[in-house]
C-alpha cells in the first residue's frame, strides 16, 4: 500500500452532528423504544391472560401479521426512498405518526368487553394496524442515521447512543406494569383479572403519552445532511431495487443474523411466563388455603419476573453503554461473534445451575452475561446495515436507505413474532391448557407449583437454553461478513469521491 494511501486511511473524517442533535436523537429513541417495548414485552401475556384469546389464534395472528409486514415494510421503505417532503425525507414521519401510534398502543391493551368472534376481530385489526403505523415510525427514524452524517464512525456512535437510550426506554417499559401493578394491588378494590387488565392499560397510556411526545421531537431538531436524489423508477433491463437488496451480500448476512438471533427477545418476553409456570420462589405451600396459595403465587410471579427482567436490563444496557469505547479495539464483526458465543455459554450455565439448585438468585450473573449480546446486536446490527448500504452504493451507485431500514424493521418484528410462536408452542407441547390455568373452566387457577418438574423445566428453558442456542446460530453468518478494516475504509473514501463527482451535497 502506498504511503499516501496509508495516510489517507488514518486521517480522521470530519464530524457533522452537534451535541444538541445527538441529545434529541437519543431522547427520541428512548420514546420510540418505550412504546415498542411496551407492546413487544407484554402483548402475548395480555392476549392470553387478560383477553383469554386462544393460543392458536395468537400464534396465527403473529405469523400472518409478519406475512403482511413482508409486503408492508418494503413498501414503506420504497416510499421513503422515492419521496422527499418539505421537511426532508426521513424526519417528518416522527411528527406524522406520533399521535396515531399512541392511540393504537392504548387500544392494544384496552379490553372493550367484547366476546366471541367480535373480540378476536378487534384484537386482530388493532394489532395489524399498530404494526403498520409503527413501520411508518420505525423505518424512517432509524434510517435517518444514514442521512445525518457520511462519517461511518460518527454514524456508528449515533446508532450506539440512540440504542443505549432506547435501552432505557425498554427498562422503563419493563418496570411500568410491575410498578403500576403493585400500586393497584395496594389500593385494593379489584379482583386479580381486573388488576391484570388495568396494570397493562395504565402502562400503555403512560408509555404512549411520554414516549410519543419525546419521539416527535426528532422531526424538528434532526438534520438530514446528505441530500440524495429521490430513487428513480426502474428502467427496462435494469436490476430492480428488490434484486439489489437481495444481491447485497453483507446486508443479507446481517438480516440472517437478525432472524437467527430471535431468541434474544425471549429473555424479556418469556420472563413473565417463567414466573407463572416455570419457577416458584416462595414459602412452602403445604397447608395453605386457596387464598394464601394465590397470594404466594402472585408474589412469586412478580419476584421471578423482576429478577429476570432486571438481570437482562443490566447486561443489555451495560453493553450499550460501553460499546462506543469498545469500537477502538474491536470491529462490529468481532463484537457480535465474541459476545454471542459468551452468551451461549452463560445461558447453558444459567440453565444447569439454576435448575439443579432451584435458586434463581444464583443465575443472576449468568443472566447478565447472557444479556450482553442483546445490547450488542441491538446496536451493531443497525450500524452494520448502514455499512452494508455504503457497500451497495459504492458497488452499484444506488443507495436504498428506506428499504435497508425496512429490512431491519421487519427482522425485529419477525423476531418478536417468532418469540411469541415459540412460547405458545411450548405451552402446547407441555399440554398446558390456558383455560384451566386461569380457572376459566371451573376450579382454582393453576400456578408453577401445580405443574410437573418437566413442565417447569421446559418453561425455564425459554429464558436459558433457547436464547443460548439462538445466539450461537446467529454468530455463524457473521463469520462471512467482511465490511471491516481496510475494506470498509476504502469503501468510505471512494464513496465520498463518487458522491462528489455526482454533485451530491452534504450540508
Amino acid at each position: 500500500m502506498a504511503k499516501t494511501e496509508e495516510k489517507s486511511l488514518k486521517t480522521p473524517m470530519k464530524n457533522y452532528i452537534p451535541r444538541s442533535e445527538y441529545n434529541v436523537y437519543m431522547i427520541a429513541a428512548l420514546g420510540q423504544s418505550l412504546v415498542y417495548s411496551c407492546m413487544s414485552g407484554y402483548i402475548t401475556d395480555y392476549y392470553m391472560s387478560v383477553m383469554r384469546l386462544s393460543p392458536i389464534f395468537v400464534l396465527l395472528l403473529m405469523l400472518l401479521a409478519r406475512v403482511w409486514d413482508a409486503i408492508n415494510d418494503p413498501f414503506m421503505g420504497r416510499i421513503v426512498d422515492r419521496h422527499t417532503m418539505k421537511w426532508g425525507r426521513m424526519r417528518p414521519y416522527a411528527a406524522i405518526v406520533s399521535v396515531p401510534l399512541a392511540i393504537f398502543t392504548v387500544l392494544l391493551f384496552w379490553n372493550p368487553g367484547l366476546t366471541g368472534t367480535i373480540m378476536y376481530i378487534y384484537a386482530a385489526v388493532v394489532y395489524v394496524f399498530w404494526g403498520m403505523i409503527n413501520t411508518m415510525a420505525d423505518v424512517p427514524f432509524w434510517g435517518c442515521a444514514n442521512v445525518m452524517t457520511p462519517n461511518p464512525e460518527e454514524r456508528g456512535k449515533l446508532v450506539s447512543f440512540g440504542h443505549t437510550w432506547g435501552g432505557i426506554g425498554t427498562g422503563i417499559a419493563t418496570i411500568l406494569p410491575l410498578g403500576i401493578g403493585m400500586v393497584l394491588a395496594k389500593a385494593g378494590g379489584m379482583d386479580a383479572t381486573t388488576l391484570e387488565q388495568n396494570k397493562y392499560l395504565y402502562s400503555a397510556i403512560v408509555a404512549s403519552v411520554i414516549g410519543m411526545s419525546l419521539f416527535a421531537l426528532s422531526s424538528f431538531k434532526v438534520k438530514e445532511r446528505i441530500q440524495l436524489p429521490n430513487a428513480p423508477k426502474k428502467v427496462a433491463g435494469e436490476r430492480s431495487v428488490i434484486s439489489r437488496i437481495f444481491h447485497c451480500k453483507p446486508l443479507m448476512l446481517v438480516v440472517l443474523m437478525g432472524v437467527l438471533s430471535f431468541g434474544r427477545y425471549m429473555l424479556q418476553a418469556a420472563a413473565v411466563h417463567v414466573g407463572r409456570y416455570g419457577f416458584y420462589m416462595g414459602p412452602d405451600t403445604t397447608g395453605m388455603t386457596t387464598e394464601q396459595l394465590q397470594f404466594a403465587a402472585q408474589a412469586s410471579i412478580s419476584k421471578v419476573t423482576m429478577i429476570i427482567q432486571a438481570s437482562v436490563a443490566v447486561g443489555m444496557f451495560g453493553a450499550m453503554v460501553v460499546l462506543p469505547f469498545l469500537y477502538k479495539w474491536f470491529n462490529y464483526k468481532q463484537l457480535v461473534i465474541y459476545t454471542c458465543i459468551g452468551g451461549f455459554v452463560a445461558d447453558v450455565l444459567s440453565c444447569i445451575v439454576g435448575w439443579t439448585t432451584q435458586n434463581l438468585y444464583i443465575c443472576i450473573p449468568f443472566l447478565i452475561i447472557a444479556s450482553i449480546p442483546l445490547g450488542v446486536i441491538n446496536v451493531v446490527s443497525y450500524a452494520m446495515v448502514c455499512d452494508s448500504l455504503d457497500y451497495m452504493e459504492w458497488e452499484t451507485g444506488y443507495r436504498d436507505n428506506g428499504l435497508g431500514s425496512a429490512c431491519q424493521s421487519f427482522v425485529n418484528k419477525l423476531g418478536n413474532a417468532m418469540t411469541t410462536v415459540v412460547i405458545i408452542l411450548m405451552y402446547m407441547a407441555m399440554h398446558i391448557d390456558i383455560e384451566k390455568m386461569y380457572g376459566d373452566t371451573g376450579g382454582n387457577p393453576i400456578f408453577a407449583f401445580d405443574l410437573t418438574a418437566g413442565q417447569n423445566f421446559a418453561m425455564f428453558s425459554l429464558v436459558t437454553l433457547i436464547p443460548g442456542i439462538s445466539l450461537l446460530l446467529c454468530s455463524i453468518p457473521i463469520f462471512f461478513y467482511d465490511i471491516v478494516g481496510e475494506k470498509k475504509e476504502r469503501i468510505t473514501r471512494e464513496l465520498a469521491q463518487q458522491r462528489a463527482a455526482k454533485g451530491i451535497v452534504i450540508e
Side-chain angles (χ1 to χ4, degrees):
M1 183 184 293
K3 291 184 178 180
T4 55
E5 188 174 358
E6 287 182 357
K7 183 177 180 181
S8 67
L9 291 176
K10 295 179 181 179
T11 302
M13 290 185 66
K14 173 184 175 182
N15 289 325
Y16 294 82
I17 306 174
R19 184 72 246 179
S20 59
E21 196 170 334
Y22 267 108
N23 293 339
V24 170
Y25 193 80
M26 291 187 296
I27 290 172
L30 184 155
Q32 195 251 4
S33 181
L34 176 58
V35 171
Y36 184 81
S37 298
C38 184
M39 183 285 299
S40 63
Y42 293 102
I43 193 63
T44 305
D45 189 55
Y46 176 79
Y47 274 169
M48 293 199 298
S49 68
V50 176
M51 294 191 76
R52 303 289 203 270
L53 299 180
S54 162
I56 294 295
F57 169 80
V58 177
L59 185 151
L60 292 176
L61 174 60
M62 299 296 173
L63 291 178
L64 292 176
R66 297 299 77 81
V67 172
W68 170 239
D69 283 335
I71 301 171
N72 179 51
D73 286 18
F75 181 71
M76 183 63 204
R78 199 61 179 146
I79 290 175
V80 170
D81 285 329
R82 280 189 168 179
H83 302 284
T84 301
M85 291 180 271
K86 183 178 181 181
W87 291 356
R89 181 175 297 178
M90 305 279 189
R91 66 191 186 100
Y93 289 96
I96 293 171
V97 304
S98 290
V99 173
L101 189 55
I103 292 173
F104 271 84
T105 301
V106 174
L107 291 178
L108 272 177
F109 294 96
W110 178 55
N111 187 351
L114 302 173
T115 59
T117 303
I118 300 299
M119 178 179 64
Y120 282 86
I121 293 174
Y122 170 83
V125 170
V126 172
Y127 182 80
V128 171
F129 270 89
W130 185 95
M132 292 174 63
I133 298 170
N134 181 67
T135 295
M136 294 177 64
D138 194 61
V139 170
F141 179 74
W142 292 109
C144 207
N146 282 292
V147 294
M148 290 174 66
T149 174
N151 184 341
E153 291 186 3
E154 187 178 34
R155 186 175 60 204
K157 290 180 181 179
L158 176 68
V159 172
S160 293
F161 289 136
H163 279 281
T164 299
W165 280 69
I168 298 175
T170 298
I172 296 173
T174 297
I175 64 175
L176 263 180
L178 299 174
I180 291 176
M182 292 174 62
V183 172
L184 293 176
K186 287 184 177 181
M190 61 185 73
D191 57 34
T193 301
T194 304
L195 189 150
E196 289 278 300
Q197 178 175 314
N198 287 341
K199 80 175 183 181
Y200 284 133
L201 176 60
Y202 296 160
S203 297
I205 292 172
V206 172
S208 297
V209 172
I210 296 176
M212 288 298 97
S213 296
L214 298 177
F215 181 62
L217 292 175
S218 62
S219 277
F220 308 100
K221 297 296 183 179
V222 165
K223 185 175 182 180
E224 299 183 18
R225 291 175 177 81
I226 304 176
Q227 303 295 327
L228 295 173
N230 291 335
K233 294 183 178 181
K234 183 179 180 296
V235 178
E238 181 186 56
R239 179 180 288 178
S240 69
V241 61
I242 298 297
S243 177
R244 286 198 299 270
I245 290 289
F246 279 101
H247 279 82
C248 183
K249 180 182 175 181
L251 181 59
M252 289 298 98
L253 290 172
V254 177
V255 168
L256 182 58
M257 175 195 72
V259 173
L260 293 176
S261 68
F262 77 93
R264 72 188 193 271
Y265 297 106
M266 300 196 69
L267 282 163
Q268 292 173 303
V272 66
H273 299 277
V274 175
R276 289 190 189 279
Y277 308 121
F279 222 100
Y280 173 69
M281 297 182 68
D284 184 6
T285 59
T286 303
M288 284 188 178
T289 65
T290 300
E291 185 177 355
Q292 290 172 331
L293 285 172
Q294 293 187 6
F295 180 81
Q298 290 296 336
S300 174
I301 291 169
S302 297
K303 185 184 295 185
V304 172
T305 303
M306 179 62 77
I307 289 173
I308 297 174
Q309 296 279 24
S311 300
V312 173
V314 171
M316 180 176 66
F317 183 68
M320 290 178 175
V321 170
V322 302
L323 267 178
F325 304 100
L326 295 179
Y327 292 155
K328 297 177 182 178
W329 296 283
F330 303 99
N331 58 46
Y332 300 148
K333 175 178 180 176
Q334 293 168 329
L335 287 167
V336 170
I337 292 174
Y338 296 161
T339 58
C340 283
I341 293 176
F344 165 74
V345 174
D347 272 322
V348 172
L349 291 175
S350 178
C351 182
I352 295 172
V353 173
W355 191 250
T356 55
T357 64
Q358 284 295 295
N359 189 335
L360 194 58
Y361 289 114
I362 297 178
C363 294
I364 290 177
F366 301 114
L367 288 171
I368 291 174
I369 295 172
S371 301
I372 290 174
L374 276 68
V376 172
I377 294 174
N378 286 349
V379 173
V380 168
S381 60
Y382 280 87
M384 293 172 82
V385 166
C386 293
D387 288 350
S388 298
L389 293 176
D390 279 352
Y391 171 83
M392 178 194 292
E393 185 182 356
W394 169 75
E395 184 182 51
T396 69
Y398 292 93
R399 187 184 187 92
D400 303 297
N401 285 323
L403 266 177
S405 183
C407 286
Q408 188 64 42
S409 176
F410 174 71
V411 166
N412 290 340
K413 288 187 283 188
L414 178 62
N416 277 296
M418 291 172 68
T419 295
T420 298
V421 169
V422 171
I423 292 172
I424 293 173
L425 289 177
M426 185 63 77
Y427 272 89
M428 296 170 64
M430 291 299 103
H431 304 291
I432 297 176
D433 190 322
I434 296 298
E435 292 184 352
K436 291 182 179 178
M437 302 303 288
Y438 292 104
D440 290 351
T441 57
N444 298 316
I446 299 175
F447 300 105
F449 45 69
D450 296 309
L451 301 180
T452 66
Q455 289 173 315
N456 292 150
F457 178 81
M459 298 303 288
F460 186 52
S461 71
L462 291 174
V463 294
T464 51
L465 287 182
I466 295 176
I469 294 171
S470 173
L471 289 175
L472 186 64
L473 290 175
C474 85
S475 67
I476 295 174
I478 300 306
F479 279 96
F480 303 96
Y481 179 89
D482 64 352
I483 310 300
V484 296
E486 190 277 333
K487 182 174 182 179
K488 178 177 175 179
E489 293 172 333
R490 178 164 57 88
I491 290 172
T492 302
R493 183 179 65 253
E494 294 179 4
L495 184 58
Q497 296 170 354
Q498 291 177 12
R499 287 173 174 173
K502 294 178 181 179
I504 294 176
V505 177
I506 300 177
E507 298 180 357

